[in-house]
Amino acid sequence: MSPAVTTDSREPGEDSTPIAKRILIGDPLDSEKLDEQLLPKRRALPIFASDALSSVAYAPQELLMILAIGGTAMLAFSPWVALAVVALLIVVVLSYRQLIKAYPSGGGDYEVARTNLGEKAGVVVAAALLVDYILTVAVSVASGVDNIISALPSLAPWRVELAVGFVVLIIIVNLRGVREASSAFAVPTYIFIGSVGVMVATGLIRTLLGDAPVASSAQFAMEAESLSQVALILLILRAFSSGCSALTGVEAVSNGVPAFRAPKIANAQKTLVMMGTIAILLFSGLTALGLIAGVHYAEDPCALVGFDCVNQPQPSLMAQIAAATFGMGSIPFFIIQAATACVLLLAANTAFNGFPLLGAVLARDGYAPKSLNTRGDRLVFSNGMIILGLAAILVLVVFQADLTTLIQLYIIGVFVSFSLGQVGMVKHWRRELRLLHPSTAADRAEARRGLLINGIGATFTVAVLVIVTVTKFTHGAWLVFIAIPILAFLMVGVSRYYRDVEHEIAMDDDVHYGSTGDVALVLVNRLQKPVAKAVDYALSAKHDKTIAVHVAVSKESAQEVQTDWEVHRMPVPLVIIESPYRQYAAPLAAFIRKYREKHGSSVVTVYLPQYIVGHWWETFLHNRRARRIAQQLMMVHGVQITLVPWLLDSSEIVYGRRSRPMPGDDRAGRASATYGLVAHTDSPDER
């Protein structure tokens, strides 16, 4: 057996990356530089924790807004609801520290559920996480646009366009690679943490000094709904479920462990704790300041008595607190608004890291298309990023980037994954205790501690899942309960498909060898240089026999090709196949079958000349007939396809050179390509 040889297909100094792609994304990175893309803690925090950190910008707002439905008196429950959210956040952070240590491969809740609860639970968790990541992008961007509109109300009519534009921008930045994305997103995230921290401290100090900030909405009374005792309890639970949006993003760290620098587990755990601590402090501080300043934020702005809900948008809670603390129009006000808008927009970046990594794990396990496990030019899972971006754009357009509507769909998916993940961890620790030897006291103590933490986590998250489901189901969350099972069903179908294909193509001893004969067919439409080049390639391959074939859809075309063939003294015989129904692949396939019946099990190589173009719009000016013929001929037994590229002048944009070779000239396009050439291609002679 000949030794394998690895070659680099690019010539020295040659770069086949399109100019536009190189400008937007950057030059391709060598696979050996993958370790350089791993993140230290200071960069991992803004990348993986931006969702959880940014949620404190809208979680207090949503909590107060829901309680305000029952009137300003209901706001007295706010501290207790916020305290319950903080307690839950502490439990979830501690639980995920255990999960990171036990399952550091990047599968997170999906891997835990699949390993401990079975395949069905695993795909349900995966589907829930994928849906949640899509909604994370939509909610984060919509919230960011809300804060921009609060500072610049004139932009309100462009809400959807702004949201879509920001998603496209985030996609491009992430496609440039993890390191570049972390550099771009780190500064706004830390500015947000610092500026909001300063605002909370300033507001609380002013309150202690007897000069408490007063929000602009404090003067507006609120039209309250009449509530029964049952409705009152449901309202409090609904406010709690909206406040629990502060927990979203916690799971992203467990899914992103492979992206951390060594020691991966320790760095991921420390990042998770830092994220949880900052989120708790900011969430508590903003909720407290909202109550101190008397922020009144209504689900329906017209419910604010005296507020002009027709001519101006309702300012966000963050904008009202910033204005009350530092003054409307002050420099600190605009800094906080800009930082909040940035971090809310960049919160989508957590999903752009979690979704592709989870997609790669699912593809590795056979539950998603294999393309999701392929790294792009910049060593990121670019296919997953693009799919996530397109899905988020669709959601934003359908729901018109309305935060109040979108947030009702939110957190359902994440609490499904929280609940099943924590239940899976409980089963994991119980199994560990059964398997550990009694003499390993330290390990058994650690397992008991993990069982206690994850047991509490499972109890809390399952309870919250029930609350969230009950309070949000009729407000739009039913859509999520439809999407998750459908996605899970599709993933199981993909897994079954891959399993069947693997079984079908598995190697065994029944494979028969010994095809006899070797014939080349060169497909000819008109005699032009690309055809001559294909003939030259076929002859240089030294087949037993080389034949040129013209599929004639009219007598005139057949006569023209035959005359040209004789005039130019072509070195191979020409066979004309009549096609009165103007088909190409079917008559050629029939010819091949008859040839093999007559001459035995010959291997037939069909050479198809192809145009390579440089402009995207040129693809619409060619009919791509050769590609369609190739796809149909691949269904014919004993046939292999060889594409012979002909580079048009415009391809100089892509390859930096022109292709005008004649047979025997190897300056450009000197190698034919097997079917699957990645380029805009088309049949020559059809322009």
Side-chain angles (χ1 to χ4, degrees), residues 39-125:
L39 299 171
K41 294 188 294 295
R42 68 180 185 280
R43 290 191 175 185
L45 181 64
I47 283 287
F48 289 106
S50 56
D51 180 21
L53 295 179
S54 68
S55 63
V56 302
Y58 54 79
Q61 174 178 294
E62 294 299 313
L63 187 155
L64 296 178
M65 180 189 72
I66 299 302
L67 287 176
I69 294 174
T72 54
M74 289 294 296
L75 296 178
F77 291 99
S78 300
W80 304 106
V81 175
L83 184 62
V85 172
V86 169
L88 180 61
L89 183 54
I90 293 172
V91 170
V92 170
V93 168
L94 293 176
S95 298
Y96 271 90
R97 284 189 79 254
Q98 302 296 320
L99 190 151
I100 288 171
K101 185 175 182 179
Y103 296 90
S105 64
D109 287 318
Y110 155 72
E111 187 175 358
V112 173
R114 181 168 177 262
T115 302
N116 298 286
L117 304 178
E119 179 189 45
K120 292 180 180 178
V123 295
V124 167
V125 168

Side-chain angles (χ1 to χ4, degrees), residues 162-295:
L162 284 171
V164 171
F166 282 124
V167 173
V168 172
L169 179 62
I170 295 170
I171 293 173
I172 293 172
V173 173
N174 276 279
L175 289 176
R176 293 186 66 88
V178 174
R179 284 182 62 87
E180 292 202 27
S182 66
S183 299
F185 298 154
V187 173
T189 302
Y190 286 123
I191 289 176
F192 169 78
I193 295 171
S195 61
V196 174
V198 169
M199 181 179 70
V200 169
T202 302
L204 293 178
I205 290 172
R206 283 184 55 182
T207 302
L208 292 175
L209 295 177
D211 181 27
V214 179
S216 59
S217 62
Q219 59 181 311
F220 302 125
M222 301 190 69
E223 296 179 359
E225 294 183 9
S226 178
L227 300 174
S228 64
Q229 186 173 1
V230 174
L232 177 65
I233 294 173
L234 287 175
L235 188 67
I236 294 174
L237 292 177
R238 185 182 169 195
F240 172 70
S241 66
S242 292
C244 285
S245 58
L247 278 73
T248 57
V250 173
E251 79 291 341
V253 179
S254 66
N255 291 335
V257 176
F260 284 83
R261 284 184 181 174
K264 293 179 182 293
I265 294 175
N267 285 337
Q269 288 179 324
K270 290 176 182 177
T271 300
L272 178 65
V273 171
M274 286 190 292
M275 176 208 69
T277 302
I278 295 170
I280 288 171
L281 292 175
L282 296 185
F283 174 81
S284 302
L286 286 172
T287 303
L289 274 185
L291 292 172
I292 291 170
V295 174

